[in-house]
Amino acid sequence: MTAALALGDDALVLSHRLGEWAGHAPVLEEEVALANIALDLLGQARVLLSLAGDEDELAFLREERAFRNVQLVEQPNGDFAHTIARQLYFSVYQRGLYEQLAAGGGDFAGLAAKAVKEVAYHQDHATHWTLRLGDGTEESHQRMQRGVDALWRFTGELFQPVEGVEIDWPSLHTDWLATVTGVLQQATLTVPTGPGSGAWTAGAGRQGIHTEPFGRMLAEMQHLHRSHPGASW
Amino acid sequence: MTAQQAGSSAALDAPPALQEHFESTIARDQRIEPRDWMPDGYRKTLIRQVAQHAHSEIIGMQPEGEWITRAPSLRRKAILFAKVQDEAGHGLYLYSAAETLGADRADLTERLLEGRQKYSSIFNYPTLSFADVGVIGWFVDGAAICNQVPLCRSSYGPYARAMVRICKEESFHQRQGYELLLTMMRGTEAQREMVQDAVNRWWWPSLMMFGPPDEDSPNSAQSMAWKIKRHSNDQLRQRFVDMTVPQAEKLGVNLPDPQLRWNEERGHHDFGTPDWDELKRVITGDGLCNTQRMERRRTAHEEGAWVREAATAHAAKQAASAKKGAAA
């Protein structure tokens, strides 16, 4: 069940981060859009985690070291450009992944076929904002470039094969790079050239090694559930 | 010339036929539509009411949004996300309805941020436990439904139609809030205490959502004559109390009012008097969370300015290149 946990945790953690935007979005339409994306991801997380066990036990009673999400999704929101860069990287990855899973006919084909429709919308949203911010004002261009650069080092981990996810990982990476490069270039942004991950971080989130902000995020997410052991809500 | 100015200049020299037509439309319970002539006062009252309704949806995202990241189960988290998303959507419908009257959303937003327009007093109370989320669904959405169902027959068409959509979603949220409380009341002692505490804190503020008592509500008579409003504040408050008392009994919580009892003669519940001084303080900016709510809204607006500017600049570039493409 490593696979269901890995994919489920990705969706759960990113959904939570997007939830932190509620009431803070730059424009009303984005309150709707970000909540909508978060809700889709939460729905995916619930299906996936339920395959691995009890969704609430898994979400609220595991400690940091037991979470299997990639480090990209746990990164703090930063400014809107930072959030959009994270969303672009992740949604292009998720779309490629789910397309392959849906076509493969394995254990995840059913849920992947549903999720891919949602993710296509997420990718569209992230792409359009990358274009608007990259090719908008001088300030938005700089902010978008900073977001794209800062998160690049977390992208390599996306393509570390996950046990039980039967897809062609090298082609997932190639397609991802082509799509992301295309969007960034159209947005007049420079495609980052640094390593997609540090040597010691490759696949680290998948092994339960996370970045510092993640523990604090879990503390907030889990405190109420943990304060009332055994209670139903 | 804005539509508002158009409205006022039209009012000055409005032929009696227009006034008569307006009045007979109202009398026949038909709808006033955006392009119809309407008295300036009607337009202004509606802009104020619809805008403040929209602002309430937007500020109202905050007290519940507080708990999205702390919701104790994934199901409750999903419900909260959906609810807060709906509220943003309701804000959008209502700003659109206000714009059909010649108002401008950006201008209405400025008025909110500068404190020149109000939002519902209820959102100046803090959410201190997860039970508050359920109680907001039950009381606050319940009170909103009492207020809004009659507005589905409001004389202004775009407002009435927005209310039809909003009411459907609100009643769904109200049931979900009540269902959370039912679950908690069947749970642990600590959960039951949480629910009762939340009920104690939210009951009176919820009664105040209907506004001041009728004798102290200067705009009501005109709004009712224009059929913008259908019932008085006190009538709606009574309806809410009568609806809520049996729900409280079923839930097993006490409503914190020693004077609350069934009056056989009136066929209604008698109840105590809300603290109207508190309502005045909250409305004039001195409630528990007024500063915090406004500050949060202002910060989001200011910190988002560069994003909105980028979107505008990008759209202009796109339009320019499309024009160039068409000319070539």
Side-chain angles (χ1 to χ4, degrees):
Chain A
M1 276 297 108
T2 321
L5 275 187
L7 305 185
D9 286 350
D10 283 352
L12 176 70
V13 171
L14 185 55
S15 167
H16 184 94
R17 283 295 188 207
L18 291 173
E20 294 170 356
W21 270 105
H24 292 279
V27 59
L28 205 40
E29 283 79 355
E30 282 308 295
E31 295 283 359
V32 180
L34 295 175
N36 200 338
I37 295 167
L39 195 51
D40 286 344
L41 290 168
L42 184 55
Q44 294 167 14
R46 295 181 66 191
V47 173
L48 285 157
L49 293 182
S50 297
L51 290 176
D54 178 274
E55 61 175 33
D56 286 336
E57 271 177 37
L58 288 169
F60 296 104
L61 297 176
R62 269 184 303 161
E63 304 211 7
E64 220 179 316
R65 289 285 279 109
F67 273 81
R68 292 288 175 263
N69 56 283
V70 289
Q71 292 179 351
L72 175 68
V73 294
E74 74 202 30
Q75 295 312 303
N77 289 334
D79 67 7
F80 189 68
H82 203 85
T83 290
I84 291 298
R86 187 182 63 197
Q87 209 58 34
L88 177 73
Y89 290 161
F90 187 72
S91 61
V92 175
Y93 158 75
Q94 228 191 358
R95 185 176 186 176
L97 180 80
Y98 282 143
E99 273 175 354
Q100 286 204 38
L101 283 174
D107 292 346
F108 297 110
L111 76 95
K114 178 176 182 286
V116 81
K117 292 178 199 151
E118 297 168 349
V119 174
Y121 161 77
H122 305 170
Q123 184 187 335
D124 193 52
H125 175 262
T127 300
H128 277 102
W129 272 112
T130 304
L131 296 176
R132 283 186 203 111
L133 299 179
D135 190 18
T137 63
E138 184 57 35
E139 182 185 8
S140 71
H141 179 86
Q142 283 174 10
R143 284 179 183 256
M144 194 65 221
Q145 187 68 56
R146 272 204 294 276
V148 160
D149 289 345
L151 292 168
W152 184 257
R153 60 185 286 252
F154 297 104
T155 56
E157 196 193 342
L158 298 172
F159 308 101
Q160 295 292 318
V162 175
E163 192 193 323
V165 179
E166 313 283 328
I167 59 161
D168 178 357
W169 290 91
S171 82
L172 181 69
H173 191 192
T174 313
D175 293 348
W176 180 89
L177 195 59
T179 304
V180 166
T181 300
V183 174
L184 296 182
Q185 284 174 346
Q186 201 192 333
T188 72
L189 295 161
T190 307
V191 181
T193 48
S197 58
W200 71 274
T201 55
R206 296 283 188 232
Q207 298 149 35
I209 306 286
H210 294 279
T211 54
E212 282 180 345
F214 186 52
R216 197 168 284 113
M217 191 205 102
L218 285 187
E220 181 173 349
M221 184 172 106
Q222 297 181 337
H223 96 267
L224 180 57
H225 185 98
R226 285 181 182 272
S227 301
H228 297 269
S232 326
W233 299 91
Chain B
M1 186 160 73
T2 69
Q4 246 174 304
Q5 288 163 331
S8 62
S9 62
L12 289 175
D13 36 56
L18 287 177
Q19 182 77 34
E20 266 167 39
H21 182 70
F22 172 82
E23 277 163 15
S24 79
T25 306
I26 300 274
R28 282 178 291 126
D29 268 336
Q30 293 199 329
R31 296 276 166 79
I32 305 297
E33 296 297 340
R35 300 180 66 176
D36 293 344
W37 182 89
M38 61 189 87
D40 197 33
Y42 179 86
R43 187 185 298 276
K44 279 189 180 150
T45 299
L46 264 171
I47 289 177
R48 196 190 67 236
Q49 183 176 338
V50 177
Q52 297 191 359
H53 195 159
H55 300 332
S56 301
E57 297 283 357
I58 302 313
I59 299 289
M61 294 167 67
Q62 288 186 38
E64 289 165 290
E66 276 297 306
W67 287 90
I68 286 180
T69 54
R70 292 178 286 170
S73 76
L74 295 187
R75 177 167 167 261
R76 294 297 171 195
K77 190 171 178 141
I79 288 171
L80 257 183
F81 259 129
K83 183 172 182 194
V84 172
Q85 186 192 6
D86 278 352
E87 282 161 2
H90 296 171
L92 285 170
Y93 301 159
L94 288 162
Y95 284 122
S96 299
E99 289 196 326
T100 65
L101 291 157
D104 173 63
R105 178 172 141 192
D107 173 57
L108 297 177
T109 303
E110 285 299 318
R111 289 186 199 207
L112 169 67
L113 297 177
E114 288 166 10
R116 289 189 287 136
Q117 280 184 336
K118 311 267 182 231
Y119 54 87
S120 177
S121 57
I122 195 76
F123 301 120
N124 292 311
Y125 292 85
T127 45
L128 303 178
S129 83
F130 195 68
D132 291 33
V133 168
V135 170
I136 288 178
W138 177 30
F139 285 170
V140 176
D141 293 307
I145 291 165
C146 282
N147 256 325
Q148 292 172 5
V149 166
L151 292 177
C152 296
R153 295 186 294 118
S154 175
S155 61
Y156 188 59
Y159 189 32
R161 289 188 288 273
M163 293 324 306
V164 172
R165 297 177 64 177
I166 290 174
C167 283
K168 280 183 194 158
E169 294 177 352
E170 296 280 17
S171 49
F172 188 63
H173 298 315
Q174 194 215 3
R175 266 178 292 168
Q176 284 178 322
Y178 191 71
E179 189 258 339
L180 166 60
L181 299 178
L182 276 175
T183 307
M184 289 181 73
M185 289 302 287
R186 289 192 205 110
T188 64
E189 189 55 35
Q191 285 178 303
R192 279 190 290 278
E193 280 170 18
M194 249 192 239
V195 175
Q196 183 62 57
D197 176 60
V199 166
N200 294 347
R201 284 183 287 109
W202 287 90
W203 173 248
W204 291 108
S206 301
L207 291 189
M208 294 185 210
M209 278 179 73
F210 297 94
D214 290 349
E215 65 268 21
D216 196 18
S217 177
N219 299 321
S220 280
Q222 181 62 75
S223 286
M224 285 173 69
W226 276 330
K227 296 186 184 171
I228 294 173
K229 267 178 83 159
R230 291 283 179 158
H231 307 283
S232 77
N233 295 353
D234 287 335
Q235 285 171 331
L236 292 166
R237 195 169 2 252
Q238 180 73 59
R239 183 177 296 183
F240 174 73
V241 171
D242 290 340
M243 182 182 91
T244 308
V245 168
Q247 293 169 345
E249 279 164 14
K250 181 155 184 266
L251 200 54
V253 295
N254 299 311
L255 297 174
D257 179 359
Q259 295 178 49
L260 184 66
R261 65 179 57 82
W262 177 249
N263 181 327
E264 192 65 58
E265 227 168 276
R266 290 202 306 127
H268 290 291
H269 292 87
D270 291 337
F271 55 99
T273 309
D275 180 348
W276 299 123
D277 290 335
E278 176 178 311
L279 178 64
K280 269 180 205 143
R281 286 199 302 278
V282 174
I283 287 178
T284 52
D286 203 18
L288 279 164
C289 297
N290 298 58
T291 311
Q292 172 190 333
R293 302 283 186 249
M294 290 296 283
E295 190 56 34
R296 168 93 170 262
R297 196 67 244 137
R298 263 189 226 112
T299 307
H301 190 73
E302 283 161 16
E303 287 180 355
W306 68 272
V307 176
R308 297 189 299 275
E309 283 158 19
T312 308
H314 181 74
K317 286 183 193 181
Q318 294 294 104
S321 76
K323 207 171 161 190
K324 216 167 142 189

